[in-house]
Amino acid sequence: MTAITLVEAVTQALAYELAHDDKVVIFGQDIGTNGGVFRATQGLQAKFGEERVRDTPLAENMIAGLAVGMAIGGMKPVAEIQFMDFICASIDQILSHGSRIRNRTRGRLTCPMVIRTPSGGGIRAPEHHSDSMEALFSQIPGLRVVIPSSPARAYGLLLAAIRDPDPVIFMEPKRIYRMVKEEVPDDGEALPLDVCFVLREGKDITLVSWGAMVHETLQVAQKLSQQGIEAEVIDVATVKPLDMDTILQSVEKTGRCVVIQEANPTCSLSSEIIAQLAEKGLTSLMAPPQRVTGYDTVMPLYRLEKLFIPSEQRIMNAVKNVLEYV
C-alpha cells in the first residue's frame, strides 16, 4: 500500500463516495478541470463526469445555496469553498437555511451537505487566505464542524461527514496538506464523528489540540517524554459537538491541561474547553489550565506568519508553567 498525503486522502474519500453512492455530487470553483486550487479533486471529473463533478462560478453564496437546495432535495452535495476566509459570503445560506432545516421542519427534512474548505495559515498566502474560523461556525446550532489532522483521519472523517444526515463544515488545514504521509486503506471505513482521538497516553499533563497544531503538540510531547514527563495528547477532531467527556477523563488522570490552537483566542474553542474544565473538572485540576493560541489580529503576511502560529517553544513554555505551578 502506498502512503498518501492528507490532500490525497481527501481525494480518495471523495472518489470512494462518488463510486458507491450516486446521490453524491461535488462542485465548486475550478474543482473539475483543474482539480481545485490544491488539487483535492484532481482527476474526479474525468472519472465521474461533469454531472457529478461540476465547476461553478466564483460565487460562494450561490455554491452554499446550491448545496442547501440539493441536500433538501435528496442529494448529498459536497461543495468546496477555495479558502475558508471567503466562506463569509455564504453564511446566510448556511446559518439561516442549511443549519435550521431539521428544526424548521420538525425533522421532516434534513440537509445532508458537506462544505469543504482549506483553512489556517502557514503557506505564505495573502490576506483572506489563512483564517481558522472553527469557533464562528461552532456557534451555529445545527452545524457539525470537523477538522482532520492526518491523512487517515481526513479519509475516515470525510466519509462520515458525507454520510451524515445533517450539514457539516469540513475544515482542511492546508499547512499539513502535504506535510505527512501514511498508508490509508481505501476500504470505505468511516471514523466516528463527535469523539476525540487520544493520540498518546500520558499521566503528567493533558495537551488538547486539533488540525495542524496537533503536529507541534506531538513534537512537544515527544520532547517532554525525553525529560521523563509523559503528556497525554488529545486530537479534538470534531470541534462541534465537542467531546468534553474524553478531555475531562484525561484531566482527571493528569490534573493539568494546556489547550493549543492556531485560531484567535477571544471566544474561541480553547475558551470553551477551559470554561467547561472550570465548570465540570475544577476538583481534578492541580494548576490553572493554560492555552496557547494565535493572536486577536488578522493573520499577518508571510514574514510574520510564524510569529502568529503557536511554536513548539510557546507550547513548551505553557507546559512548564502548568507543571511548575504549586
Side-chain angles (χ1 to χ4, degrees), residues 193-221:
L193 298 172
D194 308 346
V195 297
C196 295
F197 295 89
V198 179
L199 304 184
R200 184 183 180 115
E201 300 278 350
K203 59 181 177 52
D204 298 315
I205 189 169
T206 299
L207 305 181
V208 181
S209 191
W210 52 94
M213 289 311 307
V214 166
H215 294 271
E216 282 84 356
T217 304
L218 284 169
Q219 289 295 320
V220 168

Side-chain angles (χ1 to χ4, degrees), residues 200 204-209 212-233 258-260 292 310-321 323:
R200 184 183 180 115
D204 298 315
I205 189 169
T206 299
L207 305 181
V208 181
S209 191
M213 289 311 307
V214 166
H215 294 271
E216 282 84 356
T217 304
L218 284 169
Q219 289 295 320
V220 168
Q222 186 174 358
K223 291 178 180 175
L224 288 169
S225 182
Q226 294 167 356
Q227 301 170 26
I229 300 166
E230 296 304 329
E232 185 146 299
V233 177
V258 174
V259 186
I260 303 103
V292 186
S311 63
E312 290 180 26
Q313 188 59 55
R314 284 176 60 195
I315 300 169
M316 186 66 82
N317 291 344
V319 167
K320 288 184 175 178
N321 286 339
L323 288 172

Side-chain angles (χ1 to χ4, degrees), residues 150-225:
S150 74
R153 284 187 286 286
Y155 179 79
L157 292 172
L158 182 54
L159 289 178
I162 297 172
R163 296 168 187 174
D164 192 87
D166 292 303
V168 177
I169 305 296
F170 196 82
M171 295 172 56
E172 297 166 8
K174 57 184 177 288
R175 178 160 64 93
I176 58 171
Y177 258 157
R178 295 177 173 82
M179 192 172 82
V180 294
K181 286 188 173 184
E182 61 185 0
E183 294 182 352
V184 182
D186 191 14
D187 55 6
E189 191 72 28
L191 289 172
L193 298 172
D194 308 346
V195 297
C196 295
F197 295 89
V198 179
L199 304 184
R200 184 183 180 115
E201 300 278 350
K203 59 181 177 52
D204 298 315
I205 189 169
T206 299
L207 305 181
V208 181
S209 191
W210 52 94
M213 289 311 307
V214 166
H215 294 271
E216 282 84 356
T217 304
L218 284 169
Q219 289 295 320
V220 168
Q222 186 174 358
K223 291 178 180 175
L224 288 169
S225 182

